[in-house]
Amino acid sequence: MSILYHLTILPPAHPECEAISQEVGALMRRFGGHLTYVNPNEGGLIYIPRLLFGFHRLHEVHFLESKVRLHHLYNPDPFPFLYLLLLRRPVVYSLTGGVTRRPNLSFLARMAAVTVTDEESLARLRNWGLGNVFLVNPGIDTARFTCHPLPLESEIRLLVGSAPWTKRQFHTKGIAALVEAARKEPRLHLVFLWRGVLWEEIAQMVRAAGIEKRVTIFNEVVDVNQVLAGVHASICLLYTSPSPRDS
């Protein structure tokens, strides 16, 4: 089955460092298909709101519909992207960030299927009456990761496994809060897995907090298993308050 994958993120500088890009890449190698980025804000002078995402690709998408049987969109929150209603093939909407608030159920009901990655989101959506929602576990193979207990001594090393796509996400994803926590707690050492976006911004934030010696930023492809061996715990940051600018 040929599938057209829709990503609402900006094209990543290092796709191999981004989880959804890895998952889509694995699916395309197995099933074939095409990939389109529906966020029009790459290099733009004016911010385009999420309600208008995808419309600039609509002609291209309609052309590709003759070659595919299904659309598959990935997005962290259940935002109602209007262009999806203009597609001629069925749409699968995968929610990668979970569901905590009641979404636009009538919009989601018009999708061929909605997928979530956790039992709590599945239960919420079904309790709210959505019948086309399914649980699909993340597609990243975790078998290659092993446990490396690190003795807790004077320093606490915390791995931060999710970097922002926009400047606003430094706050909505909690990056700024973690930097502030490290500034206040001298035992805390932060280890960031970055993705080639907003590198100067995080470096400036760390310098301004005066914690350069207690922050490690990997901005290239690394062996995550080796990085995990050097930390006490890891944290994956999600949106605290989704907004149109956090796409």
Side-chain angles (χ1 to χ4, degrees):
M1 174 182 290
S2 188
I3 301 170
L4 179 58
Y5 297 93
H6 301 238
L7 296 187
T8 59
I9 61 175
L10 295 172
H14 304 292
E16 65 276 17
C17 298
E18 206 280 317
I20 298 304
S21 296
Q22 291 183 50
E23 181 166 329
V24 171
L27 289 170
M28 291 180 67
R29 288 191 295 272
R30 176 64 177 84
F31 300 105
H34 306 271
L35 171 63
T36 183
Y37 291 93
V38 299
N39 187 332
N41 289 302
E42 184 180 16
L45 298 177
I46 301 176
Y47 179 81
I48 307 299
R50 286 206 290 180
L51 277 174
L52 299 180
F53 278 23
F55 284 99
H56 70 302
R57 298 281 191 193
L58 202 53
H59 180 76
E60 171 193 350
V61 168
H62 280 164
F63 172 77
L64 289 172
E65 282 188 308
S66 63
K67 303 179 181 181
V68 303
R69 298 180 59 187
L70 182 72
H71 296 282
H72 193 163
L73 179 133
Y74 286 83
N75 194 60
D77 64 306
F79 186 84
F81 294 99
L82 297 181
Y83 86 99
L84 295 178
L85 302 180
L86 302 177
L87 303 183
R88 304 179 183 119
R89 299 291 189 184
V91 178
V92 174
Y93 196 135
S94 287
L95 300 172
T96 61
V99 178
T100 57
R101 300 178 182 178
R102 190 183 183 95
N104 186 329
L105 296 173
S106 61
F107 176 86
L108 294 178
R110 297 179 66 173
M111 303 295 102
V114 176
T115 76
V116 293
T117 60
D118 63 288
E119 296 279 359
E120 291 81 4
S121 295
L122 178 70
R124 289 190 185 101
L125 289 173
R126 287 186 173 174
N127 287 337
W128 288 328
L130 192 66
N132 61 337
V133 58
F134 304 90
L135 178 68
V136 177
N137 292 323
I140 302 301
D141 180 16
T142 59
R144 67 182 186 272
F145 301 120
T146 55
C147 180
H148 302 277
L150 188 67
L152 185 60
E153 297 175 347
S154 60
E155 185 179 60
I156 303 172
R157 297 178 65 88
L158 180 65
L159 174 65
V160 186
S162 182
W165 288 106
T166 67
K167 292 181 180 180
R168 183 179 175 87
Q169 286 182 359
F170 277 96
H171 296 278
T172 60
K173 275 194 148 189
I175 302 293
L178 283 171
V179 170
E180 177 63 13
R183 187 186 68 81
K184 293 181 177 180
E185 176 50 71
R187 295 178 300 168
L188 184 59
H189 186 116
L190 299 176
V191 180
F192 287 103
L193 294 181
W194 220 245
R195 47 174 144 226
V197 179
L198 301 173
W199 162 254
E200 289 297 332
E201 285 76 2
I202 183 61
Q204 181 179 355
M205 180 177 289
V206 169
R207 287 194 299 268
I211 56 174
E212 299 98 314
K213 295 182 179 180
R214 291 188 289 110
V215 174
T216 302
I217 306 174
F218 292 105
N219 197 36
E220 66 280 337
V221 179
V222 295
D223 184 339
V224 176
N225 200 39
Q226 290 185 4
V227 177
L228 286 170
V231 299
H232 295 97
S234 61
I235 180 172
C236 184
L237 304 175
L238 298 176
Y239 304 122
T240 57
S241 179
S243 111
R245 289 187 177 272
D246 294 332
S247 52

